Amino acid sequence: MMKKQLAMVIDSSSCIDCKACMTACKVENQVSAGNWRNWIKVQDADFAQSGRPEGADSMHFQPGNCMHCDNPTCVQACPTSATYKDEKDGTVKVNENLCIGCGSCIPACPYGARYRRPDKKIVDKCDFCEHRRQRGDLPACVTTCPTKARTFGDLNDPDSDVARLLKRNKTMRVINPESDTRPNIYYMSMTAPLNWPVKAEIPTPIQLWKFVNPLVWGFVGLNALGVLAMLGKQLLVKDEPPVSVHEEKKEDAHE
Amino acid sequence: MNSKMIKRHAKITIFMHWFNTFCWFFLLATGLGLIRNDDLQLTGGWWSNLMVSLFGSAETLLLVHEIVGLVWAGAFMVFLVFGFRKYVLPFLRQIFTYSPSRDLKWLIKKNIQMTLGYKWLKRLGFTPDIPEQGFYNVGQKLFAVVSVLGGIVIVVTGLIMFLSNILIDNTAIVQWAILIHFVTVGLVIGGLLIHIYMAAISPDERPAFFSMFTGTVPEDYAEHHHKLWYDEVKTAERKAHSA
Amino acid sequence: MSSNINTPISRRNFLKWSGAATAATVVGTKTPVLHALVPSDKKADASNAEYHFSACDMCLNKCGLVARVENNVVTKLDPNQKFLKSRGMLCARGNAGIAQLYDPDRLKYPLLRKGKRGEGKWQRLSWDEALDYAAEQLKKIADEYTRCGVLFSPGSDMQSTFVHWFAEVFGSYNVTTHESACLLSRNRAYLDTFGEVPFSDVLHTKYIIMAGANRYEALITPDSIDLMSTRKNGTKLVVLDPRYTKTAALADEWYPVRPGTDMAFFLAIIHVIISEKLYDQAYAFEKLYGLEQLSEHVKQYSPEWAEGECEIPAKDITRIARELAAAAPAAIVYPGRRTSDYVNSTQIRRSMAILNALLGNWDRPGGLLAARQVGLSRVELPEAPFYEDNPDDRLDIGKAHMMFEEEGSFKHMRDAIIEAKPYPIKGWFVYKHNPLQSEANRQRTLEMMEKLDFILTVDIAMSDTAWMSDLVLPAPSYLERQDPASGLQGSSACACVVTRNPVVPALFESKPVFEILKELANRLELGEYFDFTLEEYRKQQLKNLPDAERALREDGVYYNPSKLYGVYEGRIYKTKSKKIELYNERYAEMGVDPMPVYKSPRKVPSGRFRMVVGRNAYFTHCTTQNNALLHELMPENSLWIHPKAAAGLGIKEGDLVEVSSAVGRGELKASLKDGIREDTVYMASGFGVLSKGLTNIYGKGACMAEILEDFSDELSGNMAMHETFVKVARKVA
């Protein structure tokens, strides 16, 4: 059987910014005050042209959440692999039992999809409502959306709604050109805003680790070489101290 | 050969040493297994996978690493508190006391002797005698210092990571702790390799190795390897006799 | 690399324990480390959850929902996918219903005022004490001032019907509802044109003009959702609004109309359609009354003339008129809902209704639909007693030409109470209604309250009106109570019945208003009129719908597959002429303009702004601002002001500004918006509260009701909330 790649196709032109998805998610996933697992980005209207913005100049709403990327920079930043790409369904997951709450993944996400839970002090983000999917339900945001702007399903299943939408429509992904993480949220073309994803920033200590890693292993290796040299000498070379050494020393001591 | 034995280690010291040994190997094995990020793991993941399959899951591995780490640090804390005057203070005094001229000479000569042999020692223009040492030789002292300071750093950074989920809101501290934990372990391991060779494999220090079980060393070993300490012990004995 | 989430070992528990140990250094705890290694089956799993149908009460739409209950706690509200009226959705408010149920600010037990009104000193009473006291006070007022001496404000939820009934058997005609701050002028206009208030077949229409309505923010089911579906099918949406609302943002065309001039626009459209003969003449001959008079009447209203009034280009008006006529009859001038805006709102809406009539869209796909048959039966209740000493009429009678007798007019009622003419009112029974926030001129409402001897408020939380009351009784939320059945119209989506059963038991000491009224009736020797249970009441309602109980149990909703289009085939219109009245004879008889005559709105004096109000998708009027989940979406209101106007006043984004009118003032932060006219400002409702019992929003923002002057619609007595001019000044922080 082919592997799954769960994904969303979002028709942002259907979004009325009612924030039902955000509230539903907040309740379903018990997201703490001040934090969100999903969002609606707003592109303000441009009144400079006519005073009556139309078409691309008009206000635009763009729902989103963790993009469950194919090239997840958050996974690269996680020292314990608490954050990982699940090969079974293609989602990027957080194993909360393995997360030590170092927060390295938070700036590593170009979409700001991650936050540190203030209660458990571990990272949290959208998991496409895994517990709902286990019951056979859709993610809370998808279920509740009044205008059904969000469509959810398995990209690799040609009969899924998302696969069909992708096939029949021009779609695009919202990326930062410096950090193309190959997201799995597709937008119907002409979505806006586009300029908001930031460059993925892996924290200095984690970057430094990649640098010092060979140094540490090199240091250990050098010491190991020294030990090997001693061992080699011990096994291969007969090396008795000159007898006189002991004698001389004894005499010295008695003086 | 003189077969008379001198007491070198207290039972508690021996226990702490082997307890420490066990913890170190265990924490090293599990800790390396916890570095599951491919970019950070030099072993290519096989070690981590081995450890994870051994412990059932990565989170169990982490949990066990944390528990053993806490037990290890806790035991030393207890030892520090209750054995401070009797064991810890004298130990610290020993390992932090250096005689620059003698100790430097010992380091150079011993290194050459251990790797290249006496012949090369002579060829390089050194006299074959090795400077006299106290209860610990300078190599042991330096490794002890690295172990003690490294241990403190490892415990502190480990605690930071452990408490990250409980108390700490500044994630930068945690991120740095992870790195420092890793680097410090690397440094100590470097010394540990030499320590293991010297103590367990090299025939020179074999009596010291046995003393880590029995607590005693032969007098002539003490005289040869720890002359200054040997003299102290003898002087003390003599005083005790005359008293 | 993959990892198993469902590991038997919970590191989390271990951490929790060690955290506790770090904090408390507990000696001799059980062996938690070992405990942590024991498989934990405490995880919330699906088999633990129960699912219950209910209907949302966060606004008036009553969207069908499924409540998930785990261990007696409601953990999630999801849309009932079988509920067609809302197209299987639940909005932000619907999702936030949980925060109403578990709101720490909820009223928990009966409270009696100690100290002065509004001082916030309360004494906790037992229910018996509270009900005895309430009955005693009501009786005292009845004895001294007749039974009409008590005003009833029944709110608008599914138990409000019992408050109406109680008022009737208690003997007071004086009942005012939320409606006179809302849609009475629209209802008036459509009743006086078509004889019925219609529903819009948004889903099947091809062209919509929306003026004075904001359907993407003020959500009405199914219209708001159908508006998006129909737009995806190519339907054109034209929006007239002084604000660039989200509806305006998503429309094909938006015109920042000069406030109060919509009638000029519509009369000009009618002008074009009639002069260019773009209407169906056969239809007009058969169905419409007064076309000749109308043709004559609108000659004066050319697009060029209208441009000068409404500031919409004449060529656009002409084009829109032609496009609209081309799309007819699947074209709608959207009737709107809250039309409590101008002193001539009924006539403004009449101009829109007349245009709809010309489009021939009545009772046709994509047009305006008549109410469908739902089939609920009227419950037989004993005849209410007659009280001889009562006055002849309600207090506000005759204050407006065409007032609705059942709804009254809060504004006129308030004035009459203050004047105590023609007779005094001394008591007020309020159920889930909050005039201090929703009715213009808060000072005036406070003044009215000073005239009252006894104010009793039943509500879920401490609203401003509850805060100023003498006795406050806690009601449960919709998730905790049994309600009667309710019939709903969903235009082309459905005609359906919903009901409620408790999803969880009522929290604290809260008591449904039905129970409160029943116990009050017993104490007032009116027990025989409330001698039924909700179960019995509902059974009677459903007696002619044999399948309804099963459907409600299994699907959470019952549909009546009643006739949708062509309901009026072979039927006369409920108007005087029995036709659709372009020209209203009754108006003519009363000396009211029989056809809408345009009067230019008062000009905004220089240095002033016209203040307009309007909804967003997070708040229902002034009721959900304190809801923790919704509060986070909008923690306070701000004053929308155009950057040019703001610059003239030295106001920058986020500056604190004072907004003042002839009747009140408020302080709030400025929001500089290109999307509002330079002569207009806007603020959301529900902030600047008096009640310290609303802890999330107390001290935040300004109160709309405080600043608005209490103009009213001449015909319906509906409040007119867009007639206030305000001064805006920067406050030095």
Side-chain angles (χ1 to χ4, degrees):
Chain A
M1 208 180 85
M2 203 170 171
K3 272 180 195 163
K4 279 187 185 177
Q5 177 56 61
L6 296 179
M8 271 189 196
V9 179
I10 296 177
D11 179 3
S12 61
S13 69
S14 287
C15 178
I16 58 172
D17 194 31
C18 74
K19 300 200 168 39
C21 53
M22 292 168 68
T23 313
C25 173
K26 194 150 224 186
V27 174
E28 183 65 77
N29 299 297
Q30 294 171 29
V31 178
S32 50
N35 297 303
W36 302 95
R37 276 186 172 199
N38 60 2
W39 57 77
I40 297 170
K41 301 283 173 189
V42 178
Q43 168 143 308
D44 270 330
D46 181 2
F47 286 82
Q49 301 303 316
S50 65
R52 289 207 294 122
E54 277 175 358
D57 287 342
S58 58
M59 189 181 251
H60 203 103
F61 310 110
Q62 182 190 71
N65 44 266
C66 169
M67 309 249 172
H68 299 278
C69 305
D70 286 341
N71 179 27
T73 34
C74 54
V75 170
Q76 291 166 28
C78 177
T80 65
S81 280
T83 282
Y84 64 100
K85 176 97 175 165
D86 190 312
E87 285 167 354
K88 289 194 288 292
D89 60 12
T91 60
V92 172
K93 287 186 175 164
V94 179
N95 178 345
E96 69 169 55
N97 288 314
L98 207 48
C99 176
I100 60 169
C102 72
S104 303
C105 55
I106 293 171
C109 174
Y111 302 102
R114 295 168 162 265
Y115 72 98
R116 198 169 181 249
R117 290 178 61 144
D119 55 345
K120 292 182 171 180
K121 299 189 194 295
I122 53 173
V123 82
D124 191 44
K125 68 162 194 76
C126 162
D127 60 357
F128 280 156
C129 282
E130 189 178 24
H131 58 293
R132 284 176 69 95
R133 287 188 279 120
Q134 282 168 0
R135 295 171 179 159
D137 293 333
L138 288 167
C141 58
V142 177
T143 300
T144 214
C145 178
T147 54
K148 301 290 170 258
R150 297 164 177 267
T151 308
F152 174 79
D154 176 14
L155 274 188
N156 295 341
D157 171 5
D159 293 331
S160 72
D161 291 343
V162 284
R164 254 183 261 147
L165 277 173
L166 271 190
K167 210 171 150 191
R168 290 182 193 161
N169 297 279
K170 246 183 114 177
T171 53
M172 59 187 293
R173 294 188 273 191
V174 178
I175 52 161
N176 181 305
E178 288 188 80
S179 308
D180 181 1
T181 53
R182 288 191 282 133
N184 276 306
I185 290 191
Y186 292 80
Y187 290 92
M188 298 291 198
S189 57
M190 299 294 287
T191 191
L194 298 174
N195 58 355
W196 60 272
V198 297
K199 186 172 175 259
E201 292 286 354
I202 294 177
T204 314
I206 305 295
Q207 283 185 341
L208 218 58
W209 188 339
K210 288 173 196 180
F211 174 72
V212 299
N213 202 11
L215 295 184
V216 168
W217 285 98
F219 171 76
V220 173
L222 275 179
N223 280 283
L225 274 180
V227 168
L228 278 178
M230 292 191 279
L231 186 66
K233 185 225 139 204
Q234 174 194 333
L235 295 177
L236 304 175
V237 184
K238 200 169 152 31
D239 182 42
E240 283 296 314
V243 185
S244 60
V245 173
H246 279 147
E247 300 309 312
E248 281 167 26
K249 266 176 83 186
K250 261 182 189 167
E251 281 160 24
D252 289 346
H254 288 286
E255 269 175 20
Chain B
M1 214 176 219
N2 194 342
S3 63
K4 202 179 164 203
M5 303 299 273
I6 309 182
K7 187 167 188 286
R8 183 165 164 85
H9 298 299
K11 278 207 178 74
I12 185 69
T13 320
I14 294 169
F15 171 78
M16 288 310 286
H17 175 268
W18 291 112
F19 170 74
N20 194 28
T21 310
F22 165 78
C23 289
W24 259 93
F25 278 112
F26 187 88
L27 291 168
L28 183 66
T30 51
L32 276 176
L34 285 169
I35 308 171
R36 288 169 51 70
N37 185 320
D38 292 336
D39 293 346
L40 307 177
Q41 172 64 278
L42 216 71
T43 59
W46 68 269
W47 179 260
S48 181
N49 291 341
L50 176 73
M51 281 292 125
V52 168
S53 45
L54 214 60
F55 283 86
S57 71
E59 43 272 57
T60 315
L61 182 65
L62 174 58
L63 177 62
V64 169
H65 183 81
E66 285 171 335
I67 295 173
V68 173
L70 285 172
V71 169
W72 172 65
F76 270 96
M77 285 303 290
V78 172
F79 183 63
L80 192 70
V81 170
F82 291 102
F84 187 74
R85 302 195 84 196
K86 202 166 172 196
Y87 305 107
V88 180
L89 203 59
F91 170 75
L92 292 177
R93 211 174 270 143
Q94 285 283 350
I95 67 170
F96 281 102
T97 309
Y98 294 91
S99 157
S101 58
R102 188 165 52 214
D103 289 350
L104 201 63
K105 212 185 276 172
W106 186 93
L107 265 183
I108 296 166
K109 285 188 171 181
K110 192 74 182 171
N111 257 319
I112 296 170
Q113 180 252 313
M114 290 295 287
T115 49
L116 302 172
Y118 285 105
K119 255 182 258 165
W120 272 95
L121 202 60
K122 205 169 178 182
R123 252 179 242 175
L124 288 169
F126 292 103
T127 52
D129 63 306
I130 303 286
E132 290 170 348
Q133 294 287 299
F135 189 83
Y136 295 117
N137 65 46
V138 64
Q140 289 170 317
K141 284 195 287 190
L142 285 176
F143 178 62
V145 167
V146 169
S147 307
V148 168
L149 295 183
I152 291 168
V153 173
I154 290 164
V155 168
V156 168
T157 51
L159 270 178
I160 288 173
M161 286 189 273
F162 177 71
L163 294 176
S164 163
N165 290 145
I166 299 160
L167 293 175
I168 299 171
D169 284 322
N170 184 341
T171 51
I173 291 176
V174 184
Q175 292 160 12
W176 281 107
I178 302 169
L179 179 68
I180 294 167
H181 197 75
F182 171 75
V183 170
T184 313
V185 170
L187 289 178
V188 179
I189 294 298
L192 186 66
L193 288 175
I194 298 168
H195 175 70
I196 293 169
Y197 171 78
M198 296 283 278
I201 301 169
S202 161
D204 277 20
E205 300 284 339
R206 191 74 29 95
F209 178 67
F210 288 126
S211 79
M212 263 303 151
F213 298 99
T214 61
T216 56
V217 285
E219 272 196 4
D220 63 342
Y221 165 82
E223 197 183 348
H224 282 173
H225 290 256
H226 303 280
K227 183 72 171 61
L228 301 178
W229 169 61
Y230 176 79
D231 292 346
E232 262 173 45
V233 173
K234 286 291 152 196
T235 318
E237 264 176 26
R238 248 175 272 135
K239 270 186 190 159
H241 272 289
S242 53
Chain C
M1 213 184 301
S2 86
S3 189
N4 181 12
I5 284 268
N6 295 317
T7 167
I9 292 174
S10 167
R11 173 168 169 263
R12 204 48 46 199
N13 287 345
F14 171 67
L15 287 183
K16 225 183 272 168
W17 163 77
S18 46
T22 321
T25 339
V26 181
V27 182
T29 38
K30 289 173 282 176
T31 49
V33 175
L34 292 179
H35 267 271
L37 295 164
V38 170
S40 148
D41 51 11
K42 282 267 167 103
K43 281 179 183 164
D45 71 47
S47 59
N48 229 359
E50 298 168 39
Y51 297 87
H52 299 277
F53 290 115
S54 189
C56 187
D57 189 36
M58 296 297 283
C59 78
L60 58 122
N61 283 307
K62 304 185 180 73
C63 296
L65 63 84
V66 181
R68 189 172 79 215
V69 181
E70 291 164 283
N71 305 320
N72 276 324
V73 174
V74 182
T75 52
K76 181 76 175 73
L77 304 173
D78 273 318
N80 178 357
Q81 298 295 346
K82 290 182 178 172
F83 191 74
L84 297 176
K85 181 176 180 277
S86 57
R87 308 292 184 196
M89 73 94 193
L90 216 49
C91 74
R93 281 168 288 158
N95 276 284
I98 278 180
Q100 183 187 67
L101 171 63
Y102 298 118
D103 183 0
D105 279 353
R106 267 184 66 164
L107 294 168
K108 298 175 182 69
Y109 28 75
L111 293 174
L112 179 68
R113 174 173 63 82
K114 293 272 125 185
K116 279 191 292 208
R117 276 191 189 141
E119 212 179 340
K121 287 187 183 154
W122 302 96
Q123 182 194 343
R124 178 177 175 172
L125 295 185
S126 73
W127 269 106
D128 272 337
E129 288 168 334
L131 292 166
D132 286 347
Y133 180 77
E136 186 187 305
Q137 293 297 313
L138 291 173
K139 194 160 185 330
K140 206 169 115 190
I141 293 166
D143 290 347
E144 207 167 323
Y145 302 99
T146 82
R147 296 190 164 240
C148 284
V150 179
L151 171 67
F152 287 85
S153 292
S156 36
D157 81 7
M158 279 157 76
Q159 290 201 4
S160 293
T161 179
F162 300 120
V163 185
H164 282 278
W165 175 237
F166 183 86
E168 201 174 333
V169 301
F170 178 78
S172 176
Y173 323 141
N174 291 312
V175 178
T176 63
T177 63
H178 151 88
E179 273 71 20
S180 72
C182 186
L183 43 63
L184 290 187
S185 39
R186 177 206 69 173
N187 288 4
R188 190 76 268 162
Y190 281 84
L191 276 169
D192 296 345
T193 308
F194 296 97
E196 183 172 348
V197 180
F199 300 84
S200 304
D201 190 8
V202 173
L203 188 62
H204 300 108
T205 200
K206 294 284 157 232
Y207 204 105
I208 303 183
I209 300 181
M210 202 168 266
N214 181 11
R215 209 64 322 142
Y216 286 146
E217 293 189 82
L219 302 179
I220 294 294
T221 58
D223 296 10
S224 295
I225 303 126
D226 286 356
L227 185 59
M228 183 55 75
S229 313
T230 197
R231 295 266 296 116
K232 293 278 164 185
N233 291 330
T235 296
K236 187 157 183 179
L237 173 64
V238 175
V239 169
L240 271 59
D241 201 309
R243 277 197 305 143
Y244 187 67
T245 61
K246 286 170 190 171
T247 311
L250 297 172
D252 292 286
E253 293 177 31
W254 165 61
Y255 295 95
V257 61
R258 184 159 77 92
T261 65
D262 304 42
M263 191 201 281
F265 173 82
F266 289 110
L267 290 173
I269 298 249
I270 295 169
H271 172 101
V272 174
I273 287 178
I274 290 182
S275 64
E276 297 186 6
K277 293 218 167 8
L278 300 176
Y279 58 94
D280 179 342
Q281 292 175 48
Y283 176 90
F285 180 77
E286 190 192 343
K287 309 269 189 187
L288 307 183
Y289 178 81
L291 183 59
E292 272 170 50
Q293 293 97 316
L294 182 69
S295 306
E296 199 55 40
H297 177 63
V298 296
K299 275 190 181 144
Q300 53 186 319
Y301 301 128
S302 69
E304 291 68 27
W305 161 83
E307 177 174 348
E309 287 297 322
C310 65
E311 299 177 9
I312 298 171
K315 62 170 179 24
D316 287 324
I317 299 177
T318 307
R319 176 179 51 80
I320 289 168
R322 288 172 186 158
E323 288 174 359
L324 194 62
I332 298 175
V333 176
Y334 190 76
R337 283 189 71 94
R338 184 189 71 82
T339 47
S340 53
D341 28 29
Y342 299 99
V343 291
N344 58 341
S345 276
T346 298
Q347 291 288 23
I348 294 174
R349 296 288 150 172
R350 267 274 290 164
S351 71
M352 296 160 72
I354 288 167
L355 177 49
N356 275 315
L358 273 181
L359 295 172
N361 65 18
W362 184 262
D363 200 21
R364 283 171 158 180
L368 298 183
L369 304 184
R372 294 171 63 176
Q373 196 199 341
V374 174
L376 282 181
S377 305
R378 229 189 127 80
V379 176
E380 306 266 332
L381 294 169
E383 197 168 323
F386 178 74
Y387 298 96
E388 281 187 356
D389 57 339
N390 258 349
D392 291 335
D393 277 305
R394 48 182 299 142
L395 192 63
D396 54 357
I397 191 88
K399 299 285 169 125
H401 289 287
M402 301 284 294
M403 224 162 71
F404 289 91
E405 182 128 357
E406 323 81 70
E407 321 285 356
S409 157
F410 183 82
K411 182 227 157 29
H412 292 307
M413 179 66 75
R414 185 174 64 190
D415 287 348
I417 291 173
I418 292 169
E419 284 175 38
K421 277 178 190 160
Y423 56 87
I425 282 183
K426 290 292 174 184
W428 194 11
F429 184 106
V430 185
Y431 175 56
K432 283 177 70 185
H433 187 43
N434 189 12
L436 280 172
Q437 278 287 344
S438 58
E439 301 282 1
N441 200 345
R442 179 162 78 181
Q443 281 309 318
R444 193 80 174 145
T445 308
L446 288 170
E447 205 180 315
M448 174 191 103
M449 290 170 98
E450 275 171 30
K451 298 275 177 184
L452 305 176
D453 295 339
F454 176 61
I455 305 169
L456 162 62
T457 296
V458 182
D459 211 326
I460 300 168
M462 190 65 97
S463 70
D464 278 3
T465 305
W467 181 252
M468 296 301 296
S469 298
D470 305 313
L471 185 63
V472 178
L473 302 178
S477 76
Y478 61 105
L479 295 165
E480 304 155 88
R481 56 171 209 251
Q482 186 177 37
D483 274 348
S486 181
L488 304 178
Q489 297 285 334
S491 97
S492 57
C494 62
C496 66
V497 176
V498 292
T499 189
R500 294 192 188 107
N501 286 313
V503 167
V504 285
L507 292 176
F508 316 114
E509 293 182 12
S510 63
K511 209 188 257 287
V513 77
F514 174 70
E515 299 294 329
I516 293 172
L517 294 166
K518 205 169 168 160
E519 295 192 35
L520 276 178
N522 285 334
R523 282 167 169 79
L524 292 164
E525 289 162 12
L526 297 167
E528 60 190 290
Y529 300 98
F530 274 86
D531 189 20
F532 56 88
T533 63
L534 263 173
E535 197 67 55
E536 290 162 355
Y537 187 89
R538 197 158 68 186
K539 268 229 145 52
Q540 278 216 44
Q541 286 182 296
L542 299 175
K543 70 182 173 203
N544 289 324
L545 300 173
D547 197 34
E549 282 194 62
R550 182 205 55 80
L552 285 168
R553 197 170 52 243
E554 290 173 10
D555 302 332
V557 56
Y558 166 76
Y559 294 110
N560 189 332
S562 51
K563 198 169 181 186
L564 171 60
Y565 303 116
V567 175
Y568 269 67
E569 273 166 27
R571 219 166 100 182
I572 53 160
Y573 289 85
K574 289 171 263 181
T575 55
K576 192 164 183 234
S577 63
K578 302 185 171 60
K579 284 187 166 190
I580 298 169
E581 297 201 336
L582 309 178
Y583 181 94
N584 189 307
E585 283 294 354
R586 276 174 71 216
Y587 281 21
E589 284 166 19
M590 281 190 298
V592 172
D593 293 335
M595 289 173 296
V597 174
Y598 182 77
K599 292 186 191 81
S600 197
R602 292 177 302 141
K603 288 259 172 334
V604 183
S606 78
R608 304 279 175 101
F609 299 87
R610 184 186 294 273
M611 183 163 128
V612 297
V613 300
R615 291 260 310 273
N616 58 48
Y618 327 128
F619 302 144
T620 300
H621 313 313
C622 48
T623 59
T624 63
Q625 284 79 356
N626 195 57
N627 178 297
L629 287 161
L630 301 169
H631 170 65
E632 206 178 338
L633 297 175
M634 187 170 162
E636 60 189 302
N637 62 351
S638 61
L639 187 80
W640 286 34
I641 184 167
H642 193 276
K644 275 187 197 157
L649 296 164
I651 293 166
K652 290 188 293 296
E653 176 72 28
D655 279 356
L656 193 66
V657 293
E658 184 187 64
V659 184
S660 54
S661 69
V663 301
R665 55 174 296 282
E667 288 174 15
L668 72 174
K669 286 177 188 153
S671 253
L672 272 51
K673 301 267 190 188
D674 287 304
I676 190 162
R677 289 173 56 95
E678 284 177 47
D679 58 2
T680 307
V681 293
Y682 157 83
M683 70 172 68
S685 59
F687 289 92
V689 294
L690 302 170
S691 168
K692 290 182 185 165
L694 303 169
T695 54
N696 288 328
I697 55 165
Y698 179 74
K700 302 227 168 87
C703 174
M704 168 203 87
E706 164 78 19
I707 299 163
L708 289 178
E709 295 172 43
D710 51 343
F711 291 90
S712 64
D713 176 39
E714 288 154 0
L715 285 186
S716 65
N718 208 21
M719 199 64 90
M721 301 204 269
H722 291 186
E723 294 278 9
T724 305
F725 300 135
V726 295
K727 233 191 269 181
V728 176
R730 183 169 173 268
K731 288 286 286 186
V732 183

